[in-house]
Amino acid sequence: VYTEKELKNIVTTFLTTRKTNGGSNCLSSQSLVLPKEWKQKAQFRKLFDEAVATMPQDPAYYPGVIEKGKKLLSSHEKQGQATVVQSRFSFALDDDPDLRLEFAQQGITDTIVVVECGTPGEEGFNKDLLASEAFSALIAIVEFPGGGEDQDPTDYLLNTAVPLLNDKNIFFGSLVCNLMHPKTVELSNDVLAALRYSSVCINTSTAFGYGVSAKGGRWGGHAMEYSHQSGRSYIGNCYGLKRMDKCVVQYTAGLEAAPVTDSNNMPPPIVLDAVHISMMTDSFASATISLLCLFFVRFLQLILPQPVIAILFGDKLTGPYMSPMTP
């Protein structure tokens, strides 16, 4: 049984990865899987439906994703499975008419589409969105059969959930998946071993499946995913381990603790720029100089008019996380 806090933190973790960069990210969660007979399903969906409209999202920036999304939604719309939810951008457009016009021309909106795909094996089930990488602000919700109170969690995962999750005719790709379990349930290693995903993130964001590739982990398609939907190679594995099957990342604090990633409480842009600079330099001295330059320029932004700043620095002023031109 999940507590209310655990359910809220699941919602926050999922939507943060989906709404960051407008879903234009290979590590972004796209499909939300629920047991059809889960007794807390209605409670969870209420929290999810509220948060999907209120949590901020970035625009889907990747070329071609708007058109691709329309094609993926076509069959779902005919079945009445797609719901457009009014959300909000993670930044204000009111003071930037040029950007507003650009978004309008490209069809970029502050909405997100939730698609009820149904249950595999039942009438009306539609896998079109599940079986493709949308790379945009689309969320697929699928309900697996069973999952009632009378079923043992481990048996249900091994005999129902895992085989469906591993079916590449239903779910596209094998980069990463989440498992969110309450403190009252112990997750079996047999379940982790059976999942054919290169990274499995337990009670935390899928982003960390990618992040551990810099610490000895591996990021790429699963070795036994023979359709190679997620590619034929990988990055990481800096220790050269043989026959690495997957990486498992676990948030040991559990679901009761605040999520590590939360788009409702993002750090200030200057902090993200500072972290980026620190990680992208090859020495302590270089990082120190770059950070001092960053802080000096941001200080000038506070005391000089914006036109003067633009003349002095032009495009060189902004860092990866520094738009618009204010700290």
Coordinates of all heavy atoms in Angstrom, one line a residue, residues 59-154:
P59 N 9.1 23.7 -23.8 CA 8.6 23.5 -25.1 C 9.3 22.3 -25.8 O 10.5 22.1 -25.5 CB 8.9 24.8 -25.9 CG 10.0 25.4 -25.1 CD 9.8 25.0 -23.7
A60 N 8.6 21.6 -26.6 CA 9.3 20.5 -27.4 C 10.1 21.1 -28.5 O 9.5 21.5 -29.5 CB 8.2 19.6 -27.9
Y61 N 11.4 21.1 -28.3 CA 12.2 21.9 -29.2 C 12.7 21.1 -30.4 O 13.2 21.6 -31.4 CB 13.5 22.4 -28.5 CG 14.4 21.3 -28.1 CD1 15.5 20.9 -28.9 CD2 14.3 20.6 -26.9 CE1 16.4 19.9 -28.6 CE2 15.1 19.5 -26.6 CZ 16.2 19.2 -27.4 OH 17.0 18.2 -27.1
Y62 N 12.7 19.8 -30.4 CA 13.3 18.9 -31.3 C 12.7 19.0 -32.7 O 11.4 19.0 -32.8 CB 13.3 17.4 -30.9 CG 14.4 16.6 -31.4 CD1 15.7 16.7 -30.9 CD2 14.2 15.7 -32.4 CE1 16.7 15.9 -31.4 CE2 15.2 14.9 -32.9 CZ 16.5 15.1 -32.4 OH 17.5 14.3 -32.9
P63 N 13.5 19.2 -33.8 CA 12.9 19.3 -35.1 C 12.0 18.1 -35.5 O 12.4 17.0 -35.4 CB 14.1 19.4 -36.0 CG 15.2 19.8 -35.1 CD 14.9 19.2 -33.8
G64 N 10.8 18.5 -36.0 CA 9.9 17.4 -36.6 C 9.0 16.8 -35.6 O 8.1 16.0 -36.0
V65 N 9.1 17.0 -34.2 CA 8.4 16.3 -33.3 C 6.9 16.7 -33.3 O 6.0 15.8 -32.9 CB 8.9 16.4 -31.8 CG1 10.3 15.7 -31.8 CG2 9.0 17.8 -31.4
I66 N 6.6 17.9 -33.6 CA 5.2 18.3 -33.7 C 4.4 17.5 -34.7 O 3.3 17.0 -34.5 CB 5.1 19.8 -34.0 CG1 5.9 20.6 -32.9 CG2 3.6 20.2 -34.0 CD1 5.4 20.5 -31.5
E67 N 5.0 17.4 -35.9 CA 4.4 16.7 -37.0 C 4.3 15.2 -36.7 O 3.3 14.5 -36.9 CB 5.2 16.8 -38.3 CG 5.1 18.3 -38.9 CD 6.0 19.2 -38.1 OE1 6.9 18.8 -37.3 OE2 5.8 20.5 -38.3
K68 N 5.4 14.6 -36.1 CA 5.4 13.2 -35.7 C 4.3 13.0 -34.7 O 3.6 11.9 -34.7 CB 6.8 12.9 -35.1 CG 6.9 11.4 -34.7 CD 8.3 11.0 -34.2 CE 8.4 9.6 -33.9 NZ 9.7 9.2 -33.3
G69 N 4.2 13.9 -33.7 CA 3.1 13.7 -32.7 C 1.8 13.6 -33.2 O 0.9 12.8 -32.8
K70 N 1.5 14.5 -34.2 CA 0.2 14.5 -34.8 C -0.1 13.1 -35.5 O -1.3 12.6 -35.5 CB 0.1 15.6 -35.9 CG 0.1 17.0 -35.2 CD 0.0 18.1 -36.3 CE 0.0 19.5 -35.7 NZ 0.1 20.5 -36.7
K71 N 0.9 12.5 -36.2 CA 0.7 11.3 -36.8 C 0.4 10.1 -35.8 O -0.4 9.3 -36.0 CB 1.9 10.9 -37.7 CG 2.1 11.8 -38.9 CD 3.4 11.5 -39.7 CE 3.5 12.4 -40.8 NZ 4.8 12.1 -41.6
L72 N 1.2 10.2 -34.7 CA 1.0 9.2 -33.7 C -0.3 9.2 -33.0 O -0.9 8.2 -32.6 CB 2.1 9.3 -32.6 CG 3.6 8.9 -33.0 CD1 4.5 9.3 -31.9 CD2 3.6 7.5 -33.4
L73 N -0.9 10.5 -32.9 CA -2.1 10.6 -32.2 C -3.3 10.3 -33.1 O -4.5 10.2 -32.6 CB -2.2 12.1 -31.7 CG -1.4 12.5 -30.5 CD1 -1.5 13.9 -30.2 CD2 -1.7 11.6 -29.3
S74 N -3.1 10.2 -34.4 CA -4.3 10.1 -35.3 C -5.2 9.0 -34.9 O -6.4 9.2 -34.8 CB -3.7 9.9 -36.7 OG -4.8 9.7 -37.6
S75 N -4.7 7.8 -34.8 CA -5.6 6.6 -34.5 C -6.2 6.7 -33.1 O -7.3 6.3 -32.8 CB -4.8 5.3 -34.6 OG -3.7 5.3 -33.7
H76 N -5.4 7.3 -32.1 CA -5.9 7.4 -30.8 C -7.1 8.4 -30.7 O -8.0 8.3 -30.0 CB -4.8 7.9 -29.8 CG -3.7 6.8 -29.6 ND1 -3.9 5.7 -28.9 CD2 -2.4 6.8 -30.1 CE1 -2.8 5.0 -28.9 NE2 -1.9 5.6 -29.6
E77 N -6.9 9.5 -31.5 CA -8.0 10.5 -31.5 C -9.3 9.9 -32.1 O -10.4 10.2 -31.7 CB -7.5 11.7 -32.4 CG -6.5 12.5 -31.6 CD -5.9 13.6 -32.5 OE1 -6.0 13.5 -33.8 OE2 -5.4 14.6 -32.0
K78 N -9.2 9.0 -33.1 CA -10.3 8.4 -33.7 C -11.1 7.5 -32.7 O -12.3 7.4 -32.8 CB -9.9 7.6 -34.9 CG -9.5 8.4 -36.1 CD -9.0 7.6 -37.3 CE -8.5 8.4 -38.4 NZ -8.0 7.6 -39.6
Q79 N -10.3 7.0 -31.8 CA -10.9 6.1 -30.8 C -11.3 6.9 -29.5 O -11.8 6.3 -28.5 CB -9.9 5.0 -30.3 CG -9.7 3.9 -31.4 CD -8.7 2.8 -30.9 OE1 -7.6 2.6 -31.5 NE2 -9.2 2.1 -29.9
G80 N -11.1 8.2 -29.5 CA -11.4 9.0 -28.4 C -10.5 8.8 -27.2 O -10.9 9.0 -26.0
Q81 N -9.3 8.4 -27.4 CA -8.4 8.0 -26.3 C -7.5 9.2 -25.9 O -6.8 9.1 -24.9 CB -7.5 6.8 -26.7 CG -8.2 5.6 -26.9 CD -7.3 4.4 -27.4 OE1 -6.4 4.7 -28.2 NE2 -7.6 3.2 -27.0
A82 N -7.4 10.3 -26.7 CA -6.4 11.3 -26.5 C -7.1 12.6 -25.9 O -8.2 13.0 -26.3 CB -5.8 11.8 -27.8
T83 N -6.5 13.1 -24.8 CA -7.1 14.2 -24.1 C -6.0 15.3 -24.1 O -4.9 15.1 -23.6 CB -7.5 13.9 -22.7 OG1 -8.5 12.9 -22.7 CG2 -8.0 15.1 -21.9
V84 N -6.3 16.5 -24.6 CA -5.4 17.6 -24.6 C -5.5 18.4 -23.2 O -6.6 18.8 -22.9 CB -5.6 18.6 -25.7 CG1 -4.6 19.8 -25.7 CG2 -5.5 17.9 -27.1
V85 N -4.4 18.5 -22.5 CA -4.5 19.1 -21.2 C -3.7 20.4 -21.2 O -2.6 20.5 -21.7 CB -3.8 18.2 -20.1 CG1 -3.8 18.9 -18.7 CG2 -4.5 16.8 -20.0
Q86 N -4.4 21.5 -20.8 CA -3.7 22.8 -20.8 C -2.7 22.8 -19.6 O -3.1 22.6 -18.5 CB -4.8 23.9 -20.6 CG -4.2 25.3 -20.5 CD -3.5 25.7 -21.9 OE1 -4.2 25.6 -22.9 NE2 -2.3 26.2 -21.8
S87 N -1.5 23.1 -19.9 CA -0.4 23.1 -18.9 C 0.2 24.5 -18.9 O -0.5 25.5 -19.2 CB 0.7 22.1 -19.3 OG 1.6 22.0 -18.3
R88 N 1.4 24.7 -18.6 CA 2.1 26.0 -18.6 C 3.6 25.8 -18.8 O 4.2 24.8 -18.4 CB 1.8 26.8 -17.3 CG 2.4 26.1 -16.0 CD 2.1 26.8 -14.8 NE 2.6 26.2 -13.6 CZ 3.8 26.5 -13.0 NH1 4.6 27.4 -13.6 NH2 4.2 25.9 -11.9
F89 N 4.1 26.8 -19.6 CA 5.6 26.7 -19.8 C 6.4 27.0 -18.5 O 5.9 27.7 -17.6 CB 6.0 27.7 -20.9 CG 5.7 27.2 -22.3 CD1 5.1 28.1 -23.2 CD2 5.9 25.9 -22.7 CE1 4.8 27.7 -24.5 CE2 5.6 25.5 -24.0 CZ 5.1 26.4 -24.9
S90 N 7.6 26.6 -18.5 CA 8.5 26.8 -17.4 C 9.0 28.2 -17.3 O 9.8 28.6 -16.4 CB 9.6 25.8 -17.4 OG 10.3 25.8 -18.6
F91 N 8.7 29.0 -18.3 CA 9.1 30.4 -18.3 C 8.0 31.3 -18.9 O 7.1 30.8 -19.6 CB 10.4 30.6 -19.2 CG 10.3 30.0 -20.5 CD1 9.8 30.8 -21.6 CD2 10.6 28.7 -20.8 CE1 9.7 30.3 -22.9 CE2 10.5 28.2 -22.1 CZ 10.1 29.0 -23.1
A92 N 8.1 32.6 -18.7 CA 7.0 33.5 -19.2 C 7.3 33.9 -20.6 O 8.4 34.3 -21.0 CB 6.9 34.7 -18.3
L93 N 6.2 33.9 -21.5 CA 6.4 34.4 -22.8 C 5.9 35.8 -23.0 O 6.0 36.4 -24.1 CB 5.6 33.5 -23.8 CG 6.2 32.2 -24.2 CD1 5.2 31.4 -25.0 CD2 7.5 32.3 -24.9
D94 N 5.3 36.4 -21.9 CA 4.7 37.7 -22.1 C 5.6 38.8 -22.5 O 5.2 39.7 -23.3 CB 4.1 38.1 -20.7 CG 3.0 37.2 -20.3 OD1 2.5 36.4 -21.2 OD2 2.6 37.1 -19.1
D95 N 6.9 38.7 -22.1 CA 7.8 39.8 -22.4 C 8.6 39.5 -23.7 O 9.6 40.2 -24.0 CB 8.8 40.1 -21.2 CG 8.0 40.5 -20.0 OD1 7.0 41.2 -20.2 OD2 8.4 40.1 -18.9
D96 N 8.3 38.5 -24.4 CA 9.1 38.1 -25.6 C 8.1 37.8 -26.8 O 7.9 36.7 -27.1 CB 9.9 36.9 -25.3 CG 11.1 36.7 -26.3 OD1 10.9 37.1 -27.5 OD2 12.1 36.1 -25.9
P97 N 7.6 38.9 -27.4 CA 6.7 38.7 -28.5 C 7.3 37.9 -29.7 O 6.6 37.2 -30.4 CB 6.3 40.1 -28.9 CG 7.4 41.0 -28.4 CD 7.9 40.3 -27.2
D98 N 8.6 38.1 -29.9 CA 9.2 37.3 -31.0 C 9.2 35.8 -30.8 O 8.9 35.0 -31.7 CB 10.7 37.8 -31.2 CG 10.8 39.2 -31.7 OD1 9.8 39.7 -32.3 OD2 11.8 39.9 -31.5
L99 N 9.5 35.4 -29.6 CA 9.4 34.0 -29.2 C 8.0 33.5 -29.3 O 7.8 32.4 -29.8 CB 10.0 33.8 -27.9 CG 10.3 32.3 -27.5 CD1 11.2 31.6 -28.5 CD2 10.8 32.2 -26.0
R100 N 7.0 34.3 -28.9 CA 5.6 33.9 -28.9 C 5.2 33.6 -30.4 O 4.6 32.6 -30.7 CB 4.7 35.0 -28.3 CG 4.7 35.0 -26.8 CD 3.3 35.5 -26.3 NE 3.0 36.8 -27.0 CZ 3.3 38.0 -26.6 NH1 4.1 38.1 -25.6 NH2 2.9 39.1 -27.3
L101 N 5.7 34.5 -31.3 CA 5.4 34.4 -32.7 C 6.0 33.1 -33.3 O 5.4 32.4 -34.0 CB 5.8 35.6 -33.5 CG 5.6 35.6 -35.0 CD1 4.1 35.4 -35.3 CD2 6.2 36.8 -35.6
E102 N 7.3 32.9 -32.9 CA 8.0 31.7 -33.4 C 7.3 30.4 -32.9 O 7.2 29.5 -33.7 CB 9.4 31.7 -32.9 CG 10.3 30.6 -33.3 CD 11.7 30.6 -32.8 OE1 12.1 31.7 -32.3 OE2 12.3 29.5 -32.7
F103 N 6.9 30.4 -31.7 CA 6.2 29.2 -31.2 C 4.9 29.0 -31.9 O 4.5 27.8 -32.3 CB 5.9 29.3 -29.7 CG 7.1 29.0 -28.8 CD1 8.4 28.8 -29.3 CD2 6.9 28.9 -27.4 CE1 9.4 28.5 -28.5 CE2 8.0 28.6 -26.6 CZ 9.3 28.4 -27.2
A104 N 4.2 30.0 -32.2 CA 2.9 29.9 -32.9 C 3.1 29.4 -34.3 O 2.3 28.6 -34.8 CB 2.2 31.3 -32.9
Q105 N 4.1 29.9 -35.0 CA 4.4 29.5 -36.3 C 4.8 28.0 -36.4 O 4.5 27.3 -37.4 CB 5.5 30.3 -36.9 CG 5.1 31.8 -37.2 CD 6.2 32.6 -37.6 OE1 7.4 32.3 -37.4 NE2 5.9 33.8 -38.3
Q106 N 5.5 27.5 -35.4 CA 5.9 26.1 -35.3 C 4.9 25.2 -34.7 O 5.1 23.9 -34.7 CB 7.2 26.0 -34.6 CG 8.4 26.8 -35.3 CD 9.7 26.6 -34.5 OE1 9.9 25.7 -33.7 NE2 10.6 27.5 -34.7
G107 N 3.8 25.7 -34.2 CA 2.8 24.9 -33.6 C 3.1 24.4 -32.2 O 2.6 23.4 -31.7
I108 N 4.1 25.1 -31.5 CA 4.5 24.7 -30.2 C 3.5 25.4 -29.2 O 3.4 26.6 -29.2 CB 5.9 25.2 -29.9 CG1 6.9 24.5 -30.9 CG2 6.3 24.9 -28.4 CD1 8.3 25.0 -30.7
T109 N 2.9 24.6 -28.4 CA 1.9 25.1 -27.4 C 2.2 24.6 -26.0 O 3.0 23.7 -25.8 CB 0.5 24.7 -27.8 OG1 0.4 23.2 -27.6 CG2 0.1 25.1 -29.2
D110 N 1.6 25.3 -25.0 CA 1.9 24.9 -23.6 C 0.8 23.9 -23.2 O 0.1 24.0 -22.2 CB 1.9 26.1 -22.7 CG 0.6 26.9 -22.8 OD1 -0.2 26.7 -23.8 OD2 0.4 27.8 -22.0
T111 N 0.6 22.9 -24.0 CA -0.3 21.8 -23.7 C 0.4 20.5 -23.7 O 1.5 20.3 -24.3 CB -1.5 21.7 -24.8 OG1 -0.9 21.5 -26.1 CG2 -2.3 23.0 -24.8
I112 N -0.2 19.5 -23.1 CA 0.3 18.1 -23.1 C -0.8 17.2 -23.4 O -1.9 17.4 -22.9 CB 1.1 17.8 -21.8 CG1 1.8 16.5 -21.9 CG2 0.1 17.8 -20.6 CD1 2.8 16.3 -20.8
V113 N -0.6 16.1 -24.1 CA -1.6 15.2 -24.5 C -1.5 13.9 -23.8 O -0.4 13.2 -23.8 CB -1.6 14.9 -26.0 CG1 -2.8 14.0 -26.4 CG2 -1.7 16.2 -26.8
V114 N -2.5 13.5 -23.1 CA -2.6 12.2 -22.3 C -3.4 11.2 -23.1 O -4.6 11.5 -23.4 CB -3.2 12.4 -20.9 CG1 -3.2 11.1 -20.2 CG2 -2.3 13.4 -20.1
V115 N -2.8 10.1 -23.4 CA -3.5 9.0 -24.2 C -3.8 7.8 -23.4 O -2.8 7.2 -22.8 CB -2.6 8.7 -25.4 CG1 -3.3 7.6 -26.3 CG2 -2.4 9.9 -26.3
E116 N -5.0 7.4 -23.3 CA -5.4 6.2 -22.6 C -5.4 5.0 -23.6 O -6.3 4.9 -24.4 CB -6.8 6.4 -22.0 CG -7.1 7.6 -21.3 CD -6.5 7.6 -19.9 OE1 -6.0 6.5 -19.4 OE2 -6.4 8.7 -19.2
C117 N -4.3 4.2 -23.6 CA -4.1 3.2 -24.6 C -4.9 2.0 -24.4 O -5.1 1.2 -25.3 CB -2.6 2.8 -24.6 SG -1.5 4.2 -25.2
G118 N -5.4 1.8 -23.1 CA -6.2 0.6 -22.9 C -5.4 -0.5 -22.2 O -4.3 -0.3 -21.7
T119 N -5.9 -1.8 -22.4 CA -5.2 -2.9 -21.7 C -4.8 -3.9 -22.8 O -5.7 -4.3 -23.6 CB -6.2 -3.6 -20.7 OG1 -6.5 -2.6 -19.7 CG2 -5.5 -4.8 -20.1
P120 N -3.6 -4.4 -22.9 CA -3.2 -5.4 -23.9 C -4.1 -6.6 -23.8 O -4.3 -7.2 -22.7 CB -1.7 -5.7 -23.5 CG -1.3 -4.5 -22.7 CD -2.5 -4.0 -22.0
G121 N -4.5 -7.1 -25.0 CA -5.3 -8.3 -25.1 C -6.8 -8.0 -25.0 O -7.6 -8.9 -25.2
E122 N -7.2 -6.8 -24.7 CA -8.6 -6.4 -24.6 C -9.0 -5.6 -25.8 O -8.2 -4.9 -26.4 CB -8.9 -5.7 -23.3 CG -8.7 -6.5 -22.0 CD -9.1 -5.9 -20.8 OE1 -9.7 -4.8 -20.8 OE2 -8.9 -6.4 -19.7
E123 N -10.3 -5.5 -26.0 CA -10.9 -4.8 -27.1 C -10.6 -3.3 -26.9 O -10.7 -2.7 -25.8 CB -12.4 -5.0 -27.2 CG -13.0 -4.3 -28.4 CD -14.5 -4.6 -28.5 OE1 -15.0 -5.4 -27.7 OE2 -15.2 -4.0 -29.4
G124 N -10.2 -2.6 -28.0 CA -9.9 -1.2 -28.0 C -8.5 -0.8 -27.6 O -8.1 0.3 -27.7
F125 N -7.7 -1.8 -27.3 CA -6.3 -1.5 -27.0 C -5.6 -1.0 -28.2 O -5.7 -1.6 -29.3 CB -5.6 -2.8 -26.5 CG -4.1 -2.6 -26.3 CD1 -3.6 -1.7 -25.3 CD2 -3.1 -3.3 -27.1 CE1 -2.2 -1.5 -25.1 CE2 -1.8 -3.1 -26.9 CZ -1.3 -2.2 -25.9
N126 N -4.8 0.1 -28.1 CA -4.1 0.7 -29.2 C -2.7 1.0 -28.7 O -2.5 1.7 -27.8 CB -4.8 2.1 -29.6 CG -4.2 2.7 -30.8 OD1 -3.1 2.5 -31.2 ND2 -5.0 3.5 -31.5
K127 N -1.7 0.4 -29.4 CA -0.3 0.5 -29.0 C 0.4 1.5 -29.8 O 1.7 1.6 -29.7 CB 0.3 -0.9 -29.2 CG 0.4 -1.3 -30.6 CD 1.1 -2.6 -30.7 CE 1.3 -3.0 -32.2 NZ 2.1 -4.3 -32.4
D128 N -0.2 2.3 -30.7 CA 0.5 3.2 -31.6 C 1.5 4.1 -30.9 O 2.7 4.2 -31.3 CB -0.4 4.0 -32.4 CG -1.1 3.2 -33.6 OD1 -0.8 2.0 -33.7 OD2 -1.9 3.8 -34.3
L129 N 1.1 4.7 -29.8 CA 2.0 5.6 -29.1 C 3.0 4.9 -28.3 O 4.2 5.3 -28.2 CB 1.2 6.6 -28.2 CG 2.0 7.6 -27.4 CD1 2.9 8.4 -28.3 CD2 1.1 8.5 -26.6
L130 N 2.6 3.7 -27.7 CA 3.6 2.9 -27.0 C 4.7 2.4 -27.8 O 5.8 2.2 -27.4 CB 2.8 1.7 -26.3 CG 1.7 2.0 -25.4 CD1 0.9 0.7 -25.1 CD2 2.2 2.6 -24.1
A131 N 4.4 2.1 -29.1 CA 5.3 1.4 -30.0 C 6.2 2.4 -30.8 O 6.8 2.0 -31.8 CB 4.6 0.5 -30.9
S132 N 6.3 3.6 -30.3 CA 7.1 4.6 -31.0 C 7.6 5.6 -30.0 O 7.1 5.8 -28.9 CB 6.3 5.4 -32.1 OG 7.0 6.3 -32.8
E133 N 8.7 6.2 -30.3 CA 9.3 7.2 -29.4 C 8.8 8.6 -29.9 O 9.2 9.1 -30.9 CB 10.9 7.2 -29.5 CG 11.5 8.1 -28.5 CD 13.0 7.9 -28.5 OE1 13.6 7.6 -29.6 OE2 13.7 8.2 -27.5
A134 N 7.9 9.1 -29.1 CA 7.3 10.4 -29.5 C 8.2 11.6 -29.4 O 8.2 12.5 -30.3 CB 6.1 10.7 -28.6
F135 N 9.1 11.6 -28.4 CA 10.1 12.7 -28.3 C 9.4 14.1 -28.1 O 9.9 15.1 -28.5 CB 11.0 12.7 -29.5 CG 12.5 12.7 -29.1 CD1 13.0 11.7 -28.3 CD2 13.3 13.8 -29.4 CE1 14.3 11.7 -27.9 CE2 14.7 13.7 -29.1 CZ 15.2 12.7 -28.3
S136 N 8.2 14.1 -27.6 CA 7.4 15.3 -27.4 C 6.5 15.2 -26.2 O 6.5 14.2 -25.5 CB 6.7 15.7 -28.7 OG 5.8 14.7 -29.1
A137 N 5.6 16.2 -26.1 CA 4.7 16.3 -24.9 C 3.5 15.4 -25.0 O 2.4 15.9 -25.1 CB 4.3 17.8 -24.7
L138 N 3.8 14.1 -25.1 CA 2.7 13.1 -25.2 C 3.0 12.1 -24.1 O 4.1 11.7 -23.9 CB 2.7 12.4 -26.5 CG 2.7 13.2 -27.8 CD1 2.7 12.3 -29.0 CD2 1.5 14.2 -27.8
I139 N 1.9 11.7 -23.4 CA 2.0 10.7 -22.4 C 1.1 9.5 -22.7 O -0.1 9.7 -22.9 CB 1.7 11.2 -21.0 CG1 2.7 12.3 -20.6 CG2 1.6 10.1 -19.9 CD1 2.3 13.0 -19.3
A140 N 1.6 8.3 -22.7 CA 0.8 7.1 -22.9 C 0.5 6.4 -21.6 O 1.5 6.2 -20.8 CB 1.5 6.1 -23.9
I141 N -0.7 6.2 -21.3 CA -1.1 5.4 -20.1 C -1.7 4.1 -20.5 O -2.6 4.0 -21.3 CB -2.1 6.2 -19.2 CG1 -1.5 7.5 -18.8 CG2 -2.6 5.4 -18.0 CD1 -2.5 8.4 -17.9
V142 N -1.1 3.0 -20.0 CA -1.6 1.7 -20.3 C -1.8 0.9 -19.0 O -1.1 1.1 -18.0 CB -0.5 0.9 -21.2 CG1 0.8 0.8 -20.5 CG2 -1.0 -0.5 -21.5
E143 N -2.9 0.1 -19.0 CA -3.2 -0.7 -17.8 C -3.0 -2.2 -18.1 O -3.6 -2.7 -19.1 CB -4.7 -0.4 -17.4 CG -5.0 1.0 -17.0 CD -6.4 1.2 -16.4 OE1 -7.2 0.3 -16.5 OE2 -6.7 2.3 -16.0
F144 N -2.2 -2.8 -17.3 CA -2.0 -4.2 -17.4 C -3.1 -5.0 -16.7 O -3.6 -4.5 -15.7 CB -0.6 -4.6 -16.8 CG 0.6 -4.2 -17.7 CD1 1.9 -4.4 -17.2 CD2 0.4 -3.7 -19.0 CE1 3.0 -4.1 -18.0 CE2 1.5 -3.3 -19.8 CZ 2.8 -3.6 -19.3
P145 N -3.5 -6.1 -17.2 CA -4.5 -6.9 -16.6 C -4.1 -7.4 -15.2 O -2.9 -7.6 -14.9 CB -4.7 -8.1 -17.6 CG -3.4 -8.2 -18.3 CD -2.9 -6.8 -18.4
G146 N -5.1 -7.5 -14.3 CA -4.9 -8.0 -13.0 C -4.3 -6.9 -12.1 O -4.5 -5.7 -12.2
G147 N -3.5 -7.4 -11.1 CA -2.9 -6.5 -10.1 C -3.8 -6.2 -8.9 O -3.5 -5.2 -8.2
G148 N -4.8 -7.1 -8.6 CA -5.6 -6.9 -7.5 C -4.9 -7.3 -6.2 O -3.8 -7.8 -6.2
E149 N -5.6 -7.1 -5.0 CA -5.1 -7.3 -3.7 C -4.7 -8.8 -3.5 O -3.8 -9.1 -2.7 CB -6.1 -6.9 -2.6 CG -6.2 -5.4 -2.5 CD -7.1 -5.1 -1.3 OE1 -6.6 -4.9 -0.2 OE2 -8.3 -4.9 -1.5
D150 N -5.4 -9.7 -4.2 CA -5.2 -11.1 -4.0 C -3.9 -11.7 -4.7 O -3.6 -12.8 -4.5 CB -6.4 -11.9 -4.5 CG -6.7 -11.7 -6.0 OD1 -6.4 -10.6 -6.5 OD2 -7.2 -12.6 -6.7
Q151 N -3.3 -10.8 -5.5 CA -2.1 -11.3 -6.2 C -0.8 -10.8 -5.5 O -0.7 -9.7 -5.1 CB -2.1 -10.7 -7.7 CG -3.1 -11.3 -8.6 CD -3.0 -10.8 -10.0 OE1 -3.5 -9.8 -10.3 NE2 -2.3 -11.6 -10.8
D152 N 0.1 -11.8 -5.4 CA 1.4 -11.5 -4.8 C 2.2 -10.5 -5.7 O 2.3 -10.8 -7.0 CB 2.2 -12.7 -4.6 CG 3.6 -12.5 -4.1 OD1 3.8 -12.2 -2.9 OD2 4.6 -12.6 -4.9
P153 N 2.7 -9.4 -5.2 CA 3.4 -8.4 -6.1 C 4.5 -9.0 -7.0 O 4.6 -8.7 -8.1 CB 4.0 -7.4 -5.1 CG 3.1 -7.5 -3.9 CD 2.7 -8.9 -3.8
T154 N 5.3 -9.9 -6.4 CA 6.4 -10.5 -7.1 C 5.9 -11.4 -8.2 O 6.4 -11.3 -9.4 CB 7.4 -11.3 -6.2 OG1 8.0 -10.4 -5.2 CG2 8.5 -11.9 -7.0

